[in-house]
Amino acid sequence: MGSKTDVWQGTLALMILRTLDTLGPQHGYGIARRIEQISGDLLSVNYGTLHPALLKLEQEGAVASEWGQSENGRRAKFYRLTRAGRAEMARASRDWAQTTAIMARFLGAGGGA
């Protein structure tokens, strides 16, 4: 099987928001595993990148957190999407759709001018 790719710069926040929107409150490990799972295990989530991204989203008001107990009985911080996070997810999704449409044009252009 091929090697995993790191999550692309600028996409992690959207993946986190979408994961929380889909699954509800999750701890960091659960978010990381879901992102890897949805990618078909082609992406690798660096935990040193995930936690600063979660902190930034929390500071921006897109997610809120509270301490709870994980499935294995350990204390874990659970994150949930806020109303502001839903709005940010919608905006970022539109931006990403526009970006991919532009890239599709370039990739489909065949190199001719």
Side-chain angles (χ1 to χ4, degrees):
M1 184 168 238
S3 63
K4 291 185 178 185
T5 303
D6 287 337
V7 173
W8 299 316
Q9 180 71 25
T11 61
L12 182 58
L14 179 55
M15 290 182 201
I16 290 169
L17 295 174
R18 182 67 178 134
T19 298
L20 294 175
D21 184 51
T22 302
L23 298 181
Q26 294 289 310
H27 51 75
Y29 180 77
I31 294 168
R33 285 302 309 138
R34 179 65 173 180
I35 291 170
E36 291 171 351
Q37 178 186 34
I38 292 297
S39 77
D41 281 326
L42 295 174
L43 293 178
S44 176
V45 177
N46 179 331
Y47 297 99
T49 305
L50 178 67
H51 290 288
L54 285 165
L55 179 61
K56 183 175 188 281
L57 287 168
E58 189 170 21
Q59 290 171 342
E60 292 170 349
V63 300
S65 68
E66 61 183 36
W67 288 97
Q69 195 168 7
S70 68
E71 304 80 32
N72 63 5
R74 289 186 156 158
R75 185 170 148 89
K77 194 179 235 188
F78 285 79
Y79 298 88
R80 66 173 174 77
L81 192 61
T82 64
R83 184 183 309 237
R86 284 189 208 296
E88 174 59 21
M89 183 183 66
R91 185 205 58 76
S93 294
R94 285 190 305 272
D95 290 352
W96 187 246
Q98 182 179 32
T99 299
T100 57
I102 292 167
M103 288 306 299
R105 287 182 187 170
F106 276 97
L107 295 173

